[in-house]
Amino acid sequence: MALDVQLFLLLNDLAGRSPFFDGLFVFLAAYLPYFLIVLFLALLFFSRYAQREKLRMILIVFSSSFIARFGAVELIRFFYHRPRPFLDLPVHQLLTSDKWSFPSGHAAFFFAMATAVYLYNRKWGIGFFVAAALIAISRVVAGIHYPSDILGGALVGAAVAYAVFYLVRRISTSSFDDSSPNATL
């Protein structure tokens, strides 16, 4: 049996043991993502960053997350069709989905968000990485992702966030460069 399946079965075995923990895993997998988005906006609103920097952070964080989830993940899923674990294995299923399993869209979205936040503020970023990991692992426990789906989504999300962050940074620094053709406008 593949390591991926063994690790899935080990984590998924945590489900179905207690209504309290099942509810906790469902909350972490399905509802914590909404709280994380609201938390980011609240932290940004009450932060001491300049208004322009806040707008840049919003642009980078959300464009990274959306490109990772709705661009890269969907492109991969267009070519690679991995069924959900509950379609192939006897699982304790707490959630369901009718989309392909690899890579995890939630992991891509929230690891992109965490990476982008981390590139601006390391302290906030660490908290967002912990939350992204909780969301991702809970989706394995809930029976709708293999661990490799999570790893794939996390790598996609982090890579997209780095690319967007450095692309925006390069564009914004070159737009202020005196040698730029638009500098005299």
Side-chain angles (χ1 to χ4, degrees), residues 47-185:
S47 73
R48 294 184 181 185
Y49 287 106
Q51 195 67 23
R52 185 177 183 135
E53 197 63 18
K54 288 180 182 183
L55 291 174
R56 183 178 295 176
M57 286 176 74
I58 287 172
L59 169 75
I60 290 173
V61 167
F62 287 116
S63 62
S64 297
S65 299
F66 281 95
I67 291 169
R69 170 59 185 96
F70 299 107
V73 166
E74 292 306 317
L75 182 65
I76 293 167
R77 286 181 178 176
F78 181 76
F79 293 105
Y80 181 70
H81 303 137
R82 184 180 197 185
R84 298 278 178 172
F86 60 80
L87 296 173
D88 290 338
L89 301 169
V91 302
H92 302 285
Q93 187 178 347
L94 302 178
L95 296 172
T96 190
S97 178
D98 61 350
K99 307 236 190 274
W100 299 114
S101 186
F102 182 87
S104 166
H106 279 77
F109 187 97
F110 290 102
F111 276 93
M113 176 184 243
T115 302
V117 169
Y118 182 83
L119 292 170
Y120 274 102
N121 185 312
R122 292 181 191 267
K123 187 184 286 187
W124 291 5
I126 290 169
F128 277 83
F129 274 121
V130 169
L134 286 172
I135 291 167
I137 292 168
S138 294
R139 295 183 70 78
V140 175
V141 173
I144 58 174
H145 278 296
Y146 291 100
S148 61
D149 300 339
I150 300 304
L151 181 60
L155 292 174
V156 165
V160 168
Y162 272 111
V164 168
F165 179 83
Y166 287 108
L167 180 66
V168 168
R169 188 166 124 186
R170 185 176 180 125
I171 290 169
S172 65
T173 57
S174 68
S175 67
F176 294 111
D177 184 4
D178 290 334
S179 64
S180 168
N182 296 329
T184 57
L185 297 179

Side-chain angles (χ1 to χ4, degrees), residues 12-56:
N12 181 250
D13 194 43
L14 296 172
R17 293 179 177 252
S18 156
F20 172 78
F21 284 113
D22 286 353
L24 178 63
F25 290 126
V26 168
F27 171 79
L28 292 173
Y31 301 107
L32 180 59
Y34 299 110
F35 286 96
L36 200 56
I37 292 169
V38 170
L39 175 65
F40 169 70
L41 294 172
L43 282 171
L44 205 53
F45 180 77
F46 292 110
S47 73
R48 294 184 181 185
Y49 287 106
Q51 195 67 23
R52 185 177 183 135
E53 197 63 18
K54 288 180 182 183
L55 291 174
R56 183 178 295 176

